[in-house]
Amino acid sequence: MAGKKVLIVYAHQEPKSFNGALLKIAVEELTKQGCSVTVSDLYAMQFEPRATRNDIVGRLHNSEAFNYGVETWEAYKRGGLSKDLVEEQKKVQEADLLIFQFPLFWFNMPAILKGWMDRVLVQGFAYDVSKAYDGGLLQGKLSLFSFTTGGGQEMYSKGSISGDIRYILWPMQHGIMHFCGVKVLEPHICYAPENVSEEKRKEMLTAWTQRLKTLWKEEPIDCSPDWYFK
Amino acid sequence: MAGKKVLIVYAHQEPKSFNGALLKIAVEELTKQGCSVTVSDLYAMQFEPRATRNDIVGRLHNSEAFNYGVETWEAYKRGGLSKDLVEEQKKVQEADLLIFQFPLFWFNMPAILKGWMDRVLVQGFAYDVSKAYDGGLLQGKLSLFSFTTGGGQEMYSKGSISGDIRYILWPMQHGIMHFCGVKVLEPHICYAPENVSEEKRKEMLTAWTQRLKTLWKEEPIDCSPDWYFK
């Protein structure tokens, strides 16, 4: 799909990791298709995950009691967000597809990536009063959560103690992306790459390459409670 | 319950906030009961949420390819974790009860608190091979998630678009605390304190004080899929 713009938000410390290999494949395959690919390599950027007063340039709306949500909303409207946030928002704005590549940490994304969500997707930019979910401000974009797990696939099934992997996806896919109006493609999950054979790892990398070849033909999931909990 | 030790991990930037008021109440009420209360005020501490090589003092186990999970596990065993992590682990080790006080950000805890989970609860300390869930290494402790929301209670019910609030609690309560062997008390949720009357806010603060008075008599929840998704 020549001309499509892709932003990959990547959260792994080690380029030689399995996550690093998945990132490399995505960049290569999507570039080959003629897409324009941008990577936010959060650890390499030393991306700040903490939501603080430093995110607002200049005077606060209410300096008596700091309210991050209100202050970033007001700062967004007057063009007063910190430079790193403005840059990430510009990348998001331009993207047709957002890919999040990360290792699952504690049933969730690593803090550095959660900080990207907390700080970049502010009110006024990603959603607003009465503009959420299908009315969210990032309508027209797609997203894809691609991640690795520590435990095997059998650990993340409905009857098992860790429950269905889809339970974990609810806050990320529905609570963040859907909330902003972004459609969600099927997640791409590589189970326990550290505990499988080299052959199996290669198979998983090939499967990702193959999926990317027809990615633009995929239909988004029906991002409603049924998909997660039925 | 004189003599009990409580660690409150607090993630709000503003002491004058509603979260700040809830923290103050917990410190005062529990201290009055004779408990020994410690607060980790994450923003005030400028707590580092990023999981990086800096968390390991001295030589890496494998400097060819950085693996955070393996490196922190190895560092824990040889006493080579960074000072800030050792201090937090000591607080956890000593505590009978962990209270997490925070505003819900994107269906989850703020990144700074997620970073506390990612960095403090390392393998060897909080769980280990075959030592997870009811066999987790932090057995004998209680936990309580106390948080505020932006949306009202009606937004977080089963039929609503944001779904049951319990769906959101699964990764935090079950995926982290239960995984480490920690029992979970009923969460304490204050809905939309920013959007209700001053009178209602006072009622919510009083309810928290009242709950704390009989907290030590509470039974933990049955932290299984049924509680969350039935």
Side-chain angles (χ1 to χ4, degrees):
Chain A
M1 287 291 284
K4 290 279 190 192
K5 290 183 178 175
V6 182
L7 171 60
I8 308 180
V9 186
Y10 168 71
H12 200 289
Q13 307 92 342
E14 175 57 61
K16 287 181 218 158
S17 64
F18 196 78
N19 273 273
L22 292 164
L23 170 68
K24 194 160 170 277
I25 284 171
V27 172
E28 288 176 358
E29 175 57 32
L30 292 166
T31 303
K32 203 159 76 181
Q33 291 174 21
C35 301
S36 158
V37 183
T38 303
V39 178
S40 284
D41 182 344
L42 300 183
Y43 286 103
M45 293 157 75
Q46 299 188 292
F47 188 81
E48 173 61 74
R50 290 166 287 207
T52 72
R53 193 261 173 262
N54 298 338
D55 291 352
I56 295 100
V57 177
R59 279 189 59 210
L60 292 178
H61 180 69
N62 174 8
S63 57
E64 289 301 304
F66 183 74
N67 180 314
Y68 188 79
V70 170
E71 292 296 342
T72 49
W73 185 21
E74 293 294 334
Y76 177 78
K77 286 187 281 187
R78 67 170 172 81
L81 285 177
S82 63
K83 192 164 159 282
D84 61 335
L85 298 192
V86 173
E87 281 174 14
E88 292 306 302
Q89 289 179 345
K90 190 158 174 264
K91 294 178 196 171
V92 171
Q93 200 62 74
E94 290 178 351
D96 299 296
L97 167 65
L98 309 170
I99 297 179
F100 300 100
Q101 181 65 56
F102 59 98
L104 200 69
F105 267 33
W106 288 118
F107 279 47
N108 214 312
M109 59 191 93
I112 198 168
L113 179 53
K114 179 58 168 45
W116 186 94
M117 305 284 181
D118 291 351
R119 296 178 62 234
V120 175
L121 304 176
V122 305
Q123 183 164 356
F125 172 70
Y127 66 96
D128 217 326
V129 179
S130 310
K131 289 178 181 168
Y133 290 112
D134 293 343
L137 295 177
L138 301 182
Q139 285 169 62
K141 300 180 191 302
L142 295 167
S143 63
L144 193 168
F145 286 81
S146 173
F147 58 97
T148 57
T149 67
Q153 187 159 9
E154 71 290 349
M155 254 191 71
Y156 295 104
S157 59
K158 203 155 227 164
S160 77
I161 189 153
S162 292
D164 195 313
I165 193 82
R166 291 190 177 190
Y167 299 165
I168 295 174
L169 291 163
W170 172 258
M172 302 189 240
Q173 294 187 165
H174 181 77
I176 307 178
M177 285 298 119
H178 190 184
F179 190 90
C180 298
V182 179
K183 300 273 187 194
V184 178
L185 297 177
E186 281 278 349
H188 199 84
I189 310 170
C190 291
Y191 289 98
E194 291 179 31
N195 300 325
V196 299
S197 65
E198 188 56 35
E199 189 189 349
K200 183 71 190 150
R201 269 195 294 278
K202 279 187 188 155
E203 276 175 29
M204 288 198 281
L205 294 176
T206 305
W208 180 223
T209 311
Q210 289 305 117
R211 180 169 175 198
L212 288 165
K213 286 187 193 299
T214 54
L215 195 71
W216 300 101
K217 290 180 186 161
E218 290 185 18
E219 286 295 317
I221 64 163
D222 167 30
C223 196
S224 73
D226 265 5
W227 189 88
Y228 298 88
F229 307 114
K230 69 168 182 223
Chain B
M1 287 291 285
K4 291 281 190 192
K5 290 186 176 170
V6 182
L7 171 61
I8 308 180
V9 186
Y10 168 70
H12 201 289
Q13 308 91 343
E14 174 58 60
K16 289 182 218 157
S17 64
F18 196 78
N19 273 273
L22 292 164
L23 170 69
K24 193 160 171 278
I25 285 171
V27 172
E28 288 176 357
E29 175 56 33
L30 293 166
T31 302
K32 202 158 77 181
Q33 291 175 20
C35 301
S36 160
V37 183
T38 303
V39 177
S40 285
D41 182 342
L42 300 183
Y43 286 103
M45 295 157 73
Q46 301 189 293
F47 187 81
E48 172 62 74
R50 290 165 286 207
T52 71
R53 194 256 174 267
N54 298 338
D55 290 352
I56 296 101
V57 178
R59 280 190 57 210
L60 292 177
H61 180 69
N62 176 7
S63 58
E64 289 301 304
F66 182 75
N67 180 316
Y68 187 80
V70 169
E71 292 297 340
T72 50
W73 187 21
E74 293 293 333
Y76 177 78
K77 286 187 282 188
R78 66 170 172 83
L81 284 177
S82 63
K83 190 162 160 283
D84 61 334
L85 297 191
V86 173
E87 281 174 15
E88 292 306 301
Q89 288 178 345
K90 189 156 174 267
K91 295 177 196 172
V92 171
Q93 200 63 73
E94 290 178 352
D96 298 297
L97 166 64
L98 310 170
I99 297 179
F100 301 100
Q101 180 64 56
F102 58 97
L104 200 69
F105 268 33
W106 289 119
F107 279 47
N108 213 314
M109 59 190 92
I112 198 169
L113 179 54
K114 179 58 169 46
W116 187 94
M117 305 286 180
D118 291 352
R119 296 178 61 234
V120 175
L121 305 176
V122 304
Q123 183 164 358
F125 171 71
Y127 66 96
D128 216 328
V129 179
S130 308
K131 290 177 180 170
Y133 290 112
D134 293 343
L137 296 177
L138 302 181
Q139 285 170 61
K141 300 180 191 301
L142 294 168
S143 63
L144 192 168
F145 287 81
S146 173
F147 58 96
T148 58
T149 66
Q153 187 160 8
E154 72 291 349
M155 253 190 71
Y156 295 104
S157 59
K158 205 156 224 164
S160 77
I161 189 153
S162 292
D164 195 315
I165 193 81
R166 292 190 175 190
Y167 299 164
I168 294 174
L169 291 162
W170 172 257
M172 303 189 238
Q173 295 188 163
H174 181 77
I176 306 179
M177 285 297 120
H178 189 185
F179 191 90
C180 297
V182 179
K183 300 271 188 198
V184 177
L185 297 177
E186 281 278 349
H188 199 84
I189 310 170
C190 291
Y191 289 98
E194 290 179 33
N195 300 325
V196 299
S197 66
E198 189 56 34
E199 191 188 347
K200 183 70 191 153
R201 269 195 294 277
K202 278 187 188 155
E203 277 174 30
M204 288 198 280
L205 294 175
T206 304
W208 180 224
T209 310
Q210 288 306 117
R211 180 172 175 195
L212 288 165
K213 287 187 193 301
T214 53
L215 195 72
W216 300 101
K217 291 181 186 158
E218 290 186 17
E219 285 295 317
I221 65 164
D222 166 31
C223 196
S224 73
D226 264 7
W227 189 89
Y228 297 88
F229 308 114
K230 72 171 180 224

